[in-house]
Amino acid sequence: MSKNNASSDPSVEALKLDNQLCFALYGAANRMTRLYRPLLDAMGLTYPQYLVMLVLWESSPRTVGALGEALDLDSSTLTPLLKRLEAAGLVERHRDPEDERRVIVDLSEAGRALREQAKAIPEQMICALDLQMDAISTLRERLKVLAR
Amino acid sequence: MSKNNASSDPSVEALKLDNQLCFALYGAANRMTRLYRPLLDAMGLTYPQYLVMLVLWESSPRTVGALGEALDLDSSTLTPLLKRLEAAGLVERHRDPEDERRVIVDLSEAGRALREQAKAIPEQMICALDLQMDAISTLRERLKVLAR
DNA sequence: TGAAGTTATATTGCGCGCGATTAAATCGCA
DNA sequence: TGCGATTTAATCGCGCGCAATATAACTTCA
């Protein structure tokens, strides 16, 4: 009875949404941003902006290029996002005097201060996900392999 | 030596990008769409459009609402996407005469034909991912739980 | 030195996602 | 019947992602 809903043609079966890793990933990622939204709204951040702040909280200043490397995003995504963070007073941007091609992004005082508020987020998310920590870690590590 | 890079403050540790399931998911999902892009370009589809076509190939016609339920998307995303698919000649849209609130989306002949071309995609992706089928299935099922 | 090649960021255009709102059709029920 | 509530799509605005392109700064090397 294991072939209850299985077509005899494997290429037909493979096209079913339910069998697609890509859709599971797509759906899970969309859900995740929706789950974060209420928490991030309270901090005035979007989800990608939050990821940028995570990188900067870990180590700053960084160049736009270094941020892009960490997040696997390019300048066409980051430049406007960073301008919005700058307009919000969370980061400062200036050309590197050593090499005027580079733009150095640093946290402002407000940006640094926001970290205290952010510290509560991971725990709230872990609760919201309702998964064991080891399940989360396992999934995370497998996804990293996928994003290699 | 297990605490090599560990801060003594767990809330600091939890904020590191590398420890975030959300970022692993975000990165993996972005990578996935980039991996699909060259294959889908050849078919004239974007990644979300491909997902819509997967749903329709499985069962059509469907209402906009039913598509949204299957994909966890709402009409503000689907309506413009479906109009583009219609403009590309892959689907037809018309109001349900039974209930004029509903819009019924059906495959055109070209849309149905495109399925033959799509049949090659899952295998190509599995190769590109370079993962065992059981690893893919396991990951997929765990992501579905996350997107519950 | 200076012209060609390379690197770093910015700009443009397009297609999502989604919150908020609107508009129209249908339903429920007094 | 008729009117308020509900359902279904569509519309609008904004912020990504990213391909393609542009621009400016640096490097190389003849």
Side-chain angles (χ1 to χ4, degrees), chain A residues 44-87:
Chain A
L45 292 175
T46 66
Y47 185 71
Q49 286 168 12
Y50 172 66
L51 295 178
V52 168
M53 294 302 286
L54 285 182
V55 174
L56 291 173
W57 285 327
E58 233 177 284
S59 152
S60 60
R62 298 212 197 193
T63 64
V64 171
L67 280 171
E69 180 118 5
L71 294 163
D72 198 7
L73 293 174
D74 71 16
S75 69
S76 53
T77 299
L78 283 174
T79 298
L81 186 156
L82 290 168
K83 284 184 178 175
R84 284 185 284 270
L85 285 179
E86 187 178 40

mmCIF file of all heavy atoms in Angstrom, chain A residues 44-87:
data_model
loop_
_atom_site.group_PDB
_atom_site.id
_atom_site.type_symbol
_atom_site.label_atom_id
_atom_site.label_comp_id
_atom_site.label_asym_id
_atom_site.label_seq_id
_atom_site.Cartn_x
_atom_site.Cartn_y
_atom_site.Cartn_z
ATOM 1 N N GLY A 44 11.731 48.012 14.563
ATOM 2 C CA GLY A 44 11.832 48.824 13.354
ATOM 3 C C GLY A 44 12.724 48.220 12.293
ATOM 4 O O GLY A 44 13.288 48.930 11.465
ATOM 5 N N LEU A 45 12.871 46.895 12.311
ATOM 6 C CA LEU A 45 13.734 46.220 11.339
ATOM 7 C C LEU A 45 12.933 45.278 10.451
ATOM 8 O O LEU A 45 11.941 44.702 10.887
ATOM 9 C CB LEU A 45 14.802 45.379 12.062
ATOM 10 C CG LEU A 45 15.893 46.104 12.839
ATOM 11 C CD1 LEU A 45 16.766 45.095 13.574
ATOM 12 C CD2 LEU A 45 16.727 46.978 11.917
ATOM 13 N N THR A 46 13.382 45.131 9.213
ATOM 14 C CA THR A 46 12.880 44.046 8.377
ATOM 15 C C THR A 46 13.763 42.825 8.647
ATOM 16 O O THR A 46 14.811 42.928 9.295
ATOM 17 C CB THR A 46 12.980 44.390 6.884
ATOM 18 O OG1 THR A 46 14.358 44.487 6.527
ATOM 19 C CG2 THR A 46 12.272 45.693 6.577
ATOM 20 N N TYR A 47 13.350 41.714 8.087
ATOM 21 C CA TYR A 47 14.099 40.487 8.313
ATOM 22 C C TYR A 47 15.519 40.544 7.726
ATOM 23 O O TYR A 47 16.494 40.268 8.450
ATOM 24 C CB TYR A 47 13.280 39.335 7.729
ATOM 25 C CG TYR A 47 13.804 37.968 7.943
ATOM 26 C CD1 TYR A 47 13.782 37.367 9.200
ATOM 27 C CD2 TYR A 47 14.326 37.231 6.884
ATOM 28 C CE1 TYR A 47 14.261 36.087 9.384
ATOM 29 C CE2 TYR A 47 14.794 35.949 7.064
ATOM 30 C CZ TYR A 47 14.766 35.372 8.315
ATOM 31 O OH TYR A 47 15.237 34.110 8.479
ATOM 32 N N PRO A 48 15.681 40.960 6.470
ATOM 33 C CA PRO A 48 17.056 41.065 5.956
ATOM 34 C C PRO A 48 17.881 42.117 6.700
ATOM 35 O O PRO A 48 19.086 41.956 6.875
ATOM 36 C CB PRO A 48 16.865 41.468 4.489
ATOM 37 C CG PRO A 48 15.472 41.076 4.162
ATOM 38 C CD PRO A 48 14.685 41.205 5.414
ATOM 39 N N GLN A 49 17.234 43.181 7.137
ATOM 40 C CA GLN A 49 17.942 44.193 7.917
ATOM 41 C C GLN A 49 18.433 43.606 9.244
ATOM 42 O O GLN A 49 19.547 43.894 9.702
ATOM 43 C CB GLN A 49 17.031 45.393 8.195
ATOM 44 C CG GLN A 49 16.813 46.274 6.984
ATOM 45 C CD GLN A 49 15.688 47.282 7.165
ATOM 46 O OE1 GLN A 49 15.196 47.488 8.278
ATOM 47 N NE2 GLN A 49 15.271 47.919 6.084
ATOM 48 N N TYR A 50 17.605 42.759 9.825
ATOM 49 C CA TYR A 50 17.985 42.075 11.064
ATOM 50 C C TYR A 50 19.225 41.218 10.835
ATOM 51 O O TYR A 50 20.161 41.222 11.647
ATOM 52 C CB TYR A 50 16.811 41.226 11.548
ATOM 53 C CG TYR A 50 17.090 40.314 12.721
ATOM 54 C CD1 TYR A 50 17.398 40.828 13.983
ATOM 55 C CD2 TYR A 50 17.026 38.931 12.574
ATOM 56 C CE1 TYR A 50 17.627 39.980 15.056
ATOM 57 C CE2 TYR A 50 17.248 38.079 13.638
ATOM 58 C CZ TYR A 50 17.556 38.611 14.879
ATOM 59 O OH TYR A 50 17.783 37.753 15.938
ATOM 60 N N LEU A 51 19.271 40.509 9.712
ATOM 61 C CA LEU A 51 20.431 39.672 9.404
ATOM 62 C C LEU A 51 21.690 40.524 9.270
ATOM 63 O O LEU A 51 22.761 40.156 9.756
ATOM 64 C CB LEU A 51 20.178 38.872 8.120
ATOM 65 C CG LEU A 51 19.049 37.839 8.186
ATOM 66 C CD1 LEU A 51 18.873 37.149 6.846
ATOM 67 C CD2 LEU A 51 19.296 36.807 9.290
ATOM 68 N N VAL A 52 21.562 41.678 8.631
ATOM 69 C CA VAL A 52 22.707 42.584 8.512
ATOM 70 C C VAL A 52 23.157 43.048 9.893
ATOM 71 O O VAL A 52 24.362 43.066 10.190
ATOM 72 C CB VAL A 52 22.356 43.799 7.630
ATOM 73 C CG1 VAL A 52 23.418 44.877 7.739
ATOM 74 C CG2 VAL A 52 22.183 43.366 6.174
ATOM 75 N N MET A 53 22.208 43.367 10.736
ATOM 76 C CA MET A 53 22.553 43.809 12.094
ATOM 77 C C MET A 53 23.241 42.682 12.867
ATOM 78 O O MET A 53 24.194 42.933 13.612
ATOM 79 C CB MET A 53 21.304 44.293 12.837
ATOM 80 C CG MET A 53 20.678 45.559 12.265
ATOM 81 S SD MET A 53 21.778 47.005 12.206
ATOM 82 C CE MET A 53 21.856 47.470 13.932
ATOM 83 N N LEU A 54 22.787 41.455 12.691
ATOM 84 C CA LEU A 54 23.446 40.314 13.346
ATOM 85 C C LEU A 54 24.924 40.274 12.975
ATOM 86 O O LEU A 54 25.788 40.062 13.840
ATOM 87 C CB LEU A 54 22.793 38.996 12.917
ATOM 88 C CG LEU A 54 21.422 38.627 13.507
ATOM 89 C CD1 LEU A 54 20.986 37.261 12.979
ATOM 90 C CD2 LEU A 54 21.459 38.621 15.025
ATOM 91 N N VAL A 55 25.196 40.461 11.686
ATOM 92 C CA VAL A 55 26.587 40.423 11.223
ATOM 93 C C VAL A 55 27.387 41.549 11.861
ATOM 94 O O VAL A 55 28.503 41.348 12.338
ATOM 95 C CB VAL A 55 26.638 40.529 9.685
ATOM 96 C CG1 VAL A 55 28.083 40.636 9.211
ATOM 97 C CG2 VAL A 55 25.962 39.336 9.040
ATOM 98 N N LEU A 56 26.796 42.724 11.900
ATOM 99 C CA LEU A 56 27.520 43.878 12.438
ATOM 100 C C LEU A 56 27.698 43.768 13.956
ATOM 101 O O LEU A 56 28.725 44.184 14.496
ATOM 102 C CB LEU A 56 26.791 45.177 12.078
ATOM 103 C CG LEU A 56 26.816 45.537 10.586
ATOM 104 C CD1 LEU A 56 25.935 46.748 10.308
ATOM 105 C CD2 LEU A 56 28.251 45.801 10.119
ATOM 106 N N TRP A 57 26.716 43.217 14.634
ATOM 107 C CA TRP A 57 26.848 43.042 16.082
ATOM 108 C C TRP A 57 27.985 42.075 16.407
ATOM 109 O O TRP A 57 28.638 42.191 17.429
ATOM 110 C CB TRP A 57 25.532 42.527 16.690
ATOM 111 C CG TRP A 57 24.468 43.590 16.792
ATOM 112 C CD1 TRP A 57 24.654 44.930 17.021
ATOM 113 C CD2 TRP A 57 23.054 43.402 16.669
ATOM 114 N NE1 TRP A 57 23.442 45.572 17.036
ATOM 115 C CE2 TRP A 57 22.437 44.673 16.833
ATOM 116 C CE3 TRP A 57 22.234 42.291 16.447
ATOM 117 C CZ2 TRP A 57 21.062 44.855 16.777
ATOM 118 C CZ3 TRP A 57 20.867 42.473 16.395
ATOM 119 C CH2 TRP A 57 20.284 43.740 16.553
ATOM 120 N N GLU A 58 28.201 41.146 15.482
ATOM 121 C CA GLU A 58 29.257 40.176 15.711
ATOM 122 C C GLU A 58 30.623 40.808 15.505
ATOM 123 O O GLU A 58 31.570 40.518 16.224
ATOM 124 C CB GLU A 58 29.074 38.996 14.750
ATOM 125 C CG GLU A 58 29.059 37.665 15.453
ATOM 126 C CD GLU A 58 28.796 36.543 14.469
ATOM 127 O OE1 GLU A 58 27.631 36.372 14.033
ATOM 128 O OE2 GLU A 58 29.745 35.854 14.129
ATOM 129 N N SER A 59 30.714 41.654 14.498
ATOM 130 C CA SER A 59 31.988 42.302 14.213
ATOM 131 C C SER A 59 31.781 43.478 13.277
ATOM 132 O O SER A 59 31.268 43.322 12.182
ATOM 133 C CB SER A 59 32.935 41.262 13.593
ATOM 134 O OG SER A 59 33.869 41.891 12.759
ATOM 135 N N SER A 60 32.176 44.646 13.748
ATOM 136 C CA SER A 60 32.079 45.847 12.927
ATOM 137 C C SER A 60 33.238 46.759 13.271
ATOM 138 O O SER A 60 33.824 46.640 14.349
ATOM 139 C CB SER A 60 30.736 46.543 13.172
ATOM 140 O OG SER A 60 30.619 46.912 14.540
ATOM 141 N N PRO A 61 33.599 47.671 12.373
ATOM 142 C CA PRO A 61 33.001 47.902 11.063
ATOM 143 C C PRO A 61 33.360 46.814 10.055
ATOM 144 O O PRO A 61 34.283 46.041 10.271
ATOM 145 C CB PRO A 61 33.606 49.240 10.639
ATOM 146 C CG PRO A 61 34.913 49.297 11.338
ATOM 147 C CD PRO A 61 34.725 48.579 12.644
ATOM 148 N N ARG A 62 32.580 46.785 8.989
ATOM 149 C CA ARG A 62 32.850 45.898 7.869
ATOM 150 C C ARG A 62 32.576 46.646 6.570
ATOM 151 O O ARG A 62 31.755 47.546 6.531
ATOM 152 C CB ARG A 62 31.904 44.696 7.876
ATOM 153 C CG ARG A 62 32.029 43.819 9.080
ATOM 154 C CD ARG A 62 31.733 42.402 8.674
ATOM 155 N NE ARG A 62 31.437 41.578 9.840
ATOM 156 C CZ ARG A 62 31.396 40.264 9.809
ATOM 157 N NH1 ARG A 62 31.589 39.623 8.676
ATOM 158 N NH2 ARG A 62 31.134 39.576 10.886
ATOM 159 N N THR A 63 33.211 46.206 5.518
ATOM 160 C CA THR A 63 32.906 46.790 4.211
ATOM 161 C C THR A 63 31.622 46.169 3.678
ATOM 162 O O THR A 63 31.173 45.121 4.145
ATOM 163 C CB THR A 63 34.023 46.511 3.195
ATOM 164 O OG1 THR A 63 34.088 45.105 2.978
ATOM 165 C CG2 THR A 63 35.358 47.023 3.691
ATOM 166 N N VAL A 64 31.037 46.842 2.704
ATOM 167 C CA VAL A 64 29.860 46.314 2.018
ATOM 168 C C VAL A 64 30.165 44.915 1.458
ATOM 169 O O VAL A 64 29.366 43.988 1.583
ATOM 170 C CB VAL A 64 29.417 47.254 0.883
ATOM 171 C CG1 VAL A 64 28.336 46.611 0.028
ATOM 172 C CG2 VAL A 64 28.915 48.569 1.459
ATOM 173 N N GLY A 65 31.351 44.779 0.900
ATOM 174 C CA GLY A 65 31.742 43.495 0.326
ATOM 175 C C GLY A 65 31.793 42.392 1.360
ATOM 176 O O GLY A 65 31.343 41.262 1.109
ATOM 177 N N ALA A 66 32.326 42.702 2.552
ATOM 178 C CA ALA A 66 32.425 41.701 3.615
ATOM 179 C C ALA A 66 31.042 41.309 4.110
ATOM 180 O O ALA A 66 30.781 40.137 4.412
ATOM 181 C CB ALA A 66 33.277 42.242 4.766
ATOM 182 N N LEU A 67 30.152 42.294 4.187
ATOM 183 C CA LEU A 67 28.765 41.995 4.560
ATOM 184 C C LEU A 67 28.130 41.064 3.527
ATOM 185 O O LEU A 67 27.450 40.100 3.867
ATOM 186 C CB LEU A 67 27.947 43.287 4.650
ATOM 187 C CG LEU A 67 28.102 44.113 5.919
ATOM 188 C CD1 LEU A 67 27.411 45.459 5.751
ATOM 189 C CD2 LEU A 67 27.531 43.360 7.110
ATOM 190 N N GLY A 68 28.376 41.376 2.274
ATOM 191 C CA GLY A 68 27.819 40.572 1.189
ATOM 192 C C GLY A 68 28.331 39.143 1.226
ATOM 193 O O GLY A 68 27.583 38.202 0.975
ATOM 194 N N GLU A 69 29.590 39.014 1.568
ATOM 195 C CA GLU A 69 30.183 37.675 1.665
ATOM 196 C C GLU A 69 29.517 36.889 2.798
ATOM 197 O O GLU A 69 29.166 35.721 2.634
ATOM 198 C CB GLU A 69 31.684 37.816 1.934
ATOM 199 C CG GLU A 69 32.403 36.500 2.050
ATOM 200 C CD GLU A 69 33.459 36.364 0.956
ATOM 201 O OE1 GLU A 69 33.670 37.335 0.195
ATOM 202 O OE2 GLU A 69 34.055 35.286 0.874
ATOM 203 N N ALA A 70 29.341 37.547 3.926
ATOM 204 C CA ALA A 70 28.759 36.881 5.095
ATOM 205 C C ALA A 70 27.322 36.448 4.823
ATOM 206 O O ALA A 70 26.878 35.396 5.293
ATOM 207 C CB ALA A 70 28.816 37.804 6.309
ATOM 208 N N LEU A 71 26.596 37.251 4.068
ATOM 209 C CA LEU A 71 25.166 37.004 3.877
ATOM 210 C C LEU A 71 24.843 36.420 2.508
ATOM 211 O O LEU A 71 23.687 36.084 2.241
ATOM 212 C CB LEU A 71 24.394 38.320 4.070
ATOM 213 C CG LEU A 71 24.432 38.894 5.483
ATOM 214 C CD1 LEU A 71 24.012 40.350 5.488
ATOM 215 C CD2 LEU A 71 23.555 38.073 6.420
ATOM 216 N N ASP A 72 25.856 36.322 1.653
ATOM 217 C CA ASP A 72 25.653 35.830 0.304
ATOM 218 C C ASP A 72 24.653 36.725 -0.459
ATOM 219 O O ASP A 72 23.687 36.247 -1.050
ATOM 220 C CB ASP A 72 25.173 34.368 0.335
ATOM 221 C CG ASP A 72 25.367 33.674 -0.999
ATOM 222 O OD1 ASP A 72 25.983 34.263 -1.892
ATOM 223 O OD2 ASP A 72 24.878 32.537 -1.155
ATOM 224 N N LEU A 73 24.922 38.019 -0.354
ATOM 225 C CA LEU A 73 24.105 39.019 -1.051
ATOM 226 C C LEU A 73 25.047 39.971 -1.754
ATOM 227 O O LEU A 73 26.185 40.147 -1.328
ATOM 228 C CB LEU A 73 23.258 39.814 -0.040
ATOM 229 C CG LEU A 73 22.167 39.060 0.701
ATOM 230 C CD1 LEU A 73 21.541 39.949 1.759
ATOM 231 C CD2 LEU A 73 21.107 38.546 -0.274
ATOM 232 N N ASP A 74 24.602 40.619 -2.815
ATOM 233 C CA ASP A 74 25.503 41.551 -3.477
ATOM 234 C C ASP A 74 25.079 42.990 -3.262
ATOM 235 O O ASP A 74 24.074 43.273 -2.613
ATOM 236 C CB ASP A 74 25.697 41.193 -4.940
ATOM 237 C CG ASP A 74 24.474 41.459 -5.766
ATOM 238 O OD1 ASP A 74 23.589 42.194 -5.299
ATOM 239 O OD2 ASP A 74 24.397 40.922 -6.867
ATOM 240 N N SER A 75 25.874 43.886 -3.815
ATOM 241 C CA SER A 75 25.697 45.298 -3.486
ATOM 242 C C SER A 75 24.346 45.831 -3.955
ATOM 243 O O SER A 75 23.833 46.785 -3.378
ATOM 244 C CB SER A 75 26.829 46.123 -4.085
ATOM 245 O OG SER A 75 26.725 46.168 -5.496
ATOM 246 N N SER A 76 23.784 45.219 -4.999
ATOM 247 C CA SER A 76 22.501 45.735 -5.483
ATOM 248 C C SER A 76 21.392 45.478 -4.469
ATOM 249 O O SER A 76 20.382 46.169 -4.456
ATOM 250 C CB SER A 76 22.145 45.122 -6.835
ATOM 251 O OG SER A 76 22.189 43.726 -6.787
ATOM 252 N N THR A 77 21.589 44.501 -3.611
ATOM 253 C CA THR A 77 20.651 44.295 -2.502
ATOM 254 C C THR A 77 21.068 45.110 -1.281
ATOM 255 O O THR A 77 20.239 45.756 -0.644
ATOM 256 C CB THR A 77 20.590 42.804 -2.110
ATOM 257 O OG1 THR A 77 20.134 42.050 -3.220
ATOM 258 C CG2 THR A 77 19.653 42.584 -0.935
ATOM 259 N N LEU A 78 22.366 45.096 -1.001
ATOM 260 C CA LEU A 78 22.840 45.681 0.252
ATOM 261 C C LEU A 78 22.850 47.202 0.255
ATOM 262 O O LEU A 78 22.487 47.821 1.269
ATOM 263 C CB LEU A 78 24.244 45.155 0.573
ATOM 264 C CG LEU A 78 24.276 43.733 1.133
ATOM 265 C CD1 LEU A 78 25.716 43.243 1.273
ATOM 266 C CD2 LEU A 78 23.557 43.656 2.481
ATOM 267 N N THR A 79 23.275 47.808 -0.846
ATOM 268 C CA THR A 79 23.396 49.267 -0.834
ATOM 269 C C THR A 79 22.095 49.963 -0.430
ATOM 270 O O THR A 79 22.109 50.782 0.500
ATOM 271 C CB THR A 79 23.910 49.782 -2.188
ATOM 272 O OG1 THR A 79 25.223 49.243 -2.410
ATOM 273 C CG2 THR A 79 23.987 51.288 -2.225
ATOM 274 N N PRO A 80 20.970 49.651 -1.076
ATOM 275 C CA PRO A 80 19.731 50.321 -0.645
ATOM 276 C C PRO A 80 19.325 49.958 0.786
ATOM 277 O O PRO A 80 18.848 50.806 1.533
ATOM 278 C CB PRO A 80 18.679 49.804 -1.639
ATOM 279 C CG PRO A 80 19.413 49.103 -2.721
ATOM 280 C CD PRO A 80 20.746 48.743 -2.227
ATOM 281 N N LEU A 81 19.535 48.705 1.148
ATOM 282 C CA LEU A 81 19.200 48.278 2.513
ATOM 283 C C LEU A 81 20.027 49.055 3.535
ATOM 284 O O LEU A 81 19.497 49.543 4.542
ATOM 285 C CB LEU A 81 19.455 46.766 2.627
ATOM 286 C CG LEU A 81 19.054 46.051 3.907
ATOM 287 C CD1 LEU A 81 18.822 44.565 3.642
ATOM 288 C CD2 LEU A 81 20.082 46.207 5.006
ATOM 289 N N LEU A 82 21.311 49.200 3.267
ATOM 290 C CA LEU A 82 22.191 49.915 4.195
ATOM 291 C C LEU A 82 21.833 51.395 4.261
ATOM 292 O O LEU A 82 21.925 52.014 5.325
ATOM 293 C CB LEU A 82 23.654 49.737 3.772
ATOM 294 C CG LEU A 82 24.200 48.314 3.976
ATOM 295 C CD1 LEU A 82 25.542 48.142 3.284
ATOM 296 C CD2 LEU A 82 24.286 47.966 5.454
ATOM 297 N N LYS A 83 21.390 51.948 3.137
ATOM 298 C CA LYS A 83 20.959 53.349 3.161
ATOM 299 C C LYS A 83 19.742 53.513 4.054
ATOM 300 O O LYS A 83 19.590 54.529 4.732
ATOM 301 C CB LYS A 83 20.641 53.820 1.741
ATOM 302 C CG LYS A 83 21.878 54.097 0.904
ATOM 303 C CD LYS A 83 21.490 54.655 -0.458
ATOM 304 C CE LYS A 83 22.731 54.981 -1.280
ATOM 305 N NZ LYS A 83 22.378 55.424 -2.657
ATOM 306 N N ARG A 84 18.869 52.508 4.033
ATOM 307 C CA ARG A 84 17.693 52.589 4.911
ATOM 308 C C ARG A 84 18.098 52.458 6.373
ATOM 309 O O ARG A 84 17.565 53.166 7.240
ATOM 310 C CB ARG A 84 16.665 51.526 4.517
ATOM 311 C CG ARG A 84 15.883 51.889 3.257
ATOM 312 C CD ARG A 84 14.778 50.898 2.935
ATOM 313 N NE ARG A 84 15.282 49.664 2.371
ATOM 314 C CZ ARG A 84 15.456 49.437 1.063
ATOM 315 N NH1 ARG A 84 15.154 50.363 0.179
ATOM 316 N NH2 ARG A 84 15.917 48.276 0.648
ATOM 317 N N LEU A 85 19.045 51.548 6.652
ATOM 318 C CA LEU A 85 19.535 51.432 8.030
ATOM 319 C C LEU A 85 20.216 52.729 8.469
ATOM 320 O O LEU A 85 20.105 53.134 9.637
ATOM 321 C CB LEU A 85 20.516 50.261 8.155
ATOM 322 C CG LEU A 85 19.930 48.850 8.150
ATOM 323 C CD1 LEU A 85 21.035 47.807 8.263
ATOM 324 C CD2 LEU A 85 18.919 48.665 9.283
ATOM 325 N N GLU A 86 20.903 53.367 7.531
ATOM 326 C CA GLU A 86 21.558 54.638 7.846
ATOM 327 C C GLU A 86 20.501 55.713 8.126
ATOM 328 O O GLU A 86 20.616 56.466 9.093
ATOM 329 C CB GLU A 86 22.454 55.064 6.685
ATOM 330 C CG GLU A 86 23.303 56.283 6.991
ATOM 331 C CD GLU A 86 24.219 56.646 5.822
ATOM 332 O OE1 GLU A 86 23.762 56.560 4.657
ATOM 333 O OE2 GLU A 86 25.381 57.013 6.068
ATOM 334 N N ALA A 87 19.476 55.737 7.283
ATOM 335 C CA ALA A 87 18.398 56.718 7.468
ATOM 336 C C ALA A 87 17.697 56.495 8.800
ATOM 337 O O ALA A 87 17.228 57.445 9.435
ATOM 338 C CB ALA A 87 17.398 56.613 6.316
#
